[in-house]
Amino acid sequence: QVQLVESGGGLVQAGGSLRLSCAASRIISNIYTMGWYRQAPGKQRELVATIGTPGSLNYADSVKGRFTISRDNAKKMVYLQMNNLKAEDTAVYYCKATIGSTAYWGQGTQVTVSS
């Protein structure tokens, strides 16, 4: 098992930046895939970015070139650097860890981008 706690969300103007953090309750070096997902009002939760070990990356087309996912196994942290934010990035962002066939989610952090 693992508990995940997200932080770093907030209100930002379009074109601005935010850095989301996800703190894990246990070591993550043996958790192959960590990721960020988001859910906007009235929409399904969608993949934003994932990072594997050793560092394989996957991004949604809508965020490529703007967002960067990274992980620090020593600190048990996963980050999402978000640049050039757009109004359509407004959503609750969730951190996810996949261990075997089980998915673990954080409680989410709200990101609101004003146009």
Side-chain angles (χ1 to χ4, degrees), residues 37-99:
Y37 290 70
R38 67 186 180 187
Q39 187 166 18
K43 295 187 177 181
Q44 289 188 329
R45 192 171 297 187
E46 63 177 5
L47 177 147
V48 175
T50 61
I51 183 167
T53 302
S56 58
L57 305 175
N58 182 43
Y59 292 97
D61 288 342
S62 59
V63 307
K64 283 181 181 177
R66 301 189 297 122
F67 291 10
T68 302
I69 188 171
S70 61
R71 62 192 291 169
D72 187 330
N73 289 339
K75 294 182 178 179
K76 302 181 291 183
M77 298 290 292
V78 180
Y79 305 100
L80 185 69
Q81 177 66 44
M82 306 186 295
N83 298 327
N84 190 23
L85 282 160
K86 304 177 181 180
E88 52 264 40
D89 295 318
T90 295
V92 178
Y93 283 70
Y94 297 90
C95 181
K96 177 186 176 183
T98 303
I99 303 175

Side-chain angles (χ1 to χ4, degrees), residues 9-10 18 28 66:
L18 283 174
I28 61 171
R66 301 189 297 122

